[in-house]
Amino acid sequence: MAFPWARRTSTALAIIGLVLAALILSDAPAKAQSGDTIESIQIVGNQRIEGATVSSYLTVQVGDPFDEDALDQSLKNLYGSSFFEDVTLRRDGPRLIVEVVENPVINRIAFEGNLRLDDATLEPEVQLRPRVVFTRSRVQNAVSRILELYRRNGRYAASVEPKIISLPENRVDLVFEINEGPLTEVGRIIFVGNEAFSDSTLRSVIQTTESSWLTFLTSNDTYDPDRLAFDQELLRRHYLARGYVDFNVRSALAELTPDGETFVITFTLDEGEQYQLGEVTIESRLRDLEPEQLQQLLETKSGEIYNADDVETSITALTDEIGKLGYAFVDIEPDLEKLPDEQTIDLTYVVNEGARVYIERIDVIGNVRTLDEVVRREFRLSEGDAFNTALLRRSRQRIQNLGYFEKVDLRTLPGSAPDKTRIEIEVAEKSTGELSFGAGFSTSDGPLGDIRLTERNLLGTGRSVTANFRLSERRSEIDFSLTEPYFLDTDITAGVDLFRTETDFQDESSFDQTTLGGALRASYPVTEHLRHGLKVTVREDDIKDVDGDASAFIQAEEGKDLSVILGQTLTYDRRDTRFLPTEGYLLRFRQEFAGLGGDTQYLKHELIGSYYYPFTPSWVLNLSARGGHIFGYGGEDVRLFDRFFLGGSTLRGFRFAGVGPRDGLTDDALGGNSLATGTVELRFPLGLPEELRMFGRAFAEGGTLTDIDVPDGVSDANLLDSGSLRASAGIGLSWLSPLGPISIDFAEALIKEDEDKAEQFRVSFGTRF
């Protein structure tokens, strides 16, 4: 008897068995297929690329099974090679067929519509070239780089569309059609959170400017993210130099207006409180170095507003002085202790012994024309010397002052040992030769023109040669000069000058003068800032074309005279720069002695001083003075062409030779033997973009010219020589234009004599092209 549950169990087991058998049977062909091997590989569709190259990207070979993972990796490898636009892997029985469609090759790359950026600028950005495989990803990357380049040049509305022109043999021409769009200018600059300084003051601090018709010569009115980051640093420096130690730029946001044409830049500031200096001390951790002897070097004084620039200047001065005292390795750190309740800062300069590091090697790179020795001889450090940061900065300044290089970068690199360092000087040379044609106008000389040939770095040796021809309404000049900066490999600068000038003095003194001569000169440094120069001049002066109605003083001078002059100059220069200095001072003492030969015998002295004081970087006060005296010896009178003349550029408000001894009968200027002048001038900004290089001047001047030798047989009855003080005041405008310097002065003679010749308006203009 069979039990019902037994029958049900047998039926269930039978069903399970049938299912398992079906699964086994259905899986058997798959297992067999996966286990089949590749008997051959056929590559189709390739034209330029060898079949072996295609096979090298496959991860399966003949004899391997048809493994799906391996075939998938092969497909990825082929696509990743960038050689193919399309790839297909398929099985035909035991054969694997690899079908490829090759990417075309670029035949030519062209740019259309680019006016502001030329092809030479764009080509390196695309990183594509003819005979390179074309891929869409590479082209898209090139488009992105071109757009980024236009954005850096202020054109955020630029668009680029690549065009592909198919050619035979699977080649293409690639054309980038560019719509440069307008400059995306800065329409407005907003400051939020500023209370100590007005918006206009802060706008003058940063480099970015609002767009206006005055900014046509600069690109600072276009949006540049890098410039915006630099603006934040400029703001930080501005506030730190004025005692705002806690200053912070919370955000600098540039928003594009809906029309896409201008940016609005918003600086959100946290000024913090202004701090004054409390106690200012020096703490020396060097043996035998007393802080008291350094205190006078500090620019920071107790009770003054804290100034980060003065702190840096003081550290430099301390480093220089301590180095002179024999401490080669020094490290100075400012220690600030803020007292918020009192709004003061106690400042301590901590003088530590620095790491003992020596200079192992000095390398000069980037100089193609200029000889290594021209750069090395300006270096204040030598191989084997102790490393000195202050001398390194001075070396860079001296190399930059040569004027041979657009860029001078100094880098310190590790040496062969921990206590050794290498200094690498990288320079980028610029053109030092100039063939120029000039034209201009000055109030004293009238219209003028010149031709000048100059080479400041002859054959890369540092020698300078100049040939110049100048012609104006009242003056013609031909001169030649050659300068050897390191004569006989010493610190002596030597040179030779040849010159010929012809000047019309008919309006001032009723005569013409021709001067022909030459000079040998040499100078050498006494100290880092003091220089002594010597000069020997042989000169022939010819007073001619004397008017018949000219002064008897002038008529007595008619004829030729030969002069042999020995001169010396002492110059002490502590200005921050030679051109448009903002701080420092200059002292120059000149002497000339004539009488070693020739027809003239005199001794001449001249002292010049100039002092610059910056109220701000743009407001600079200049105090200058000049005094001179000449006298003859051995019974000789001082000749007309050796005397001083005053007026014009030397005393604004008066004409050239408009002040000093004069013949009251003929009104001829006679010059004088004793001269004294003084000037107070304030240079100030005009609220225009700094890149325009335009500034205003307000000045007051005073001076006197007196004393004259009376030739034998000439009466001084008509001589007018009061020797009184003359004074003037006025305003001026200077523009360092791309075409040359332009100066306009309006001056009023405040104190003058009846015989003086006044001049209210004076202009000078020069251009080179």
Side-chain angles (χ1 to χ4, degrees), residues 158-179:
S159 62
V160 180
E161 185 176 353
K163 297 289 186 181
I164 302 168
I165 302 173
S166 299
L167 300 174
E169 300 178 2
N170 200 25
R171 296 175 300 126
V172 294
D173 284 346
L174 179 58
V175 180
F176 292 96
E177 292 185 355
I178 301 173
N179 179 7

Side-chain angles (χ1 to χ4, degrees), residues 67 329 420 483 508 526 544 563:
D67 184 86
F329 307 99
K420 295 181 180 180
T483 302
E508 296 84 8
V526 180
K544 60 183 182 179
S563 301

Side-chain angles (χ1 to χ4, degrees), residues 31 55 129 144 185 240 251 269 334 479 513 583 599 692 702 728:
K31 294 283 185 183
S55 297
R129 61 183 185 276
S144 298
E185 299 172 335
L240 284 178
S251 65
L269 311 179
D479 62 69
Q513 177 179 339
E583 62 179 329
D599 307 312
L692 290 179
S728 64

Side-chain angles (χ1 to χ4, degrees), residues 5 45 135 295 454 546 633 667 726:
W5 59 270
T135 66
Q295 197 73 32
T454 302
V546 178
Y633 67 92
D667 208 27
R726 276 76 158 183

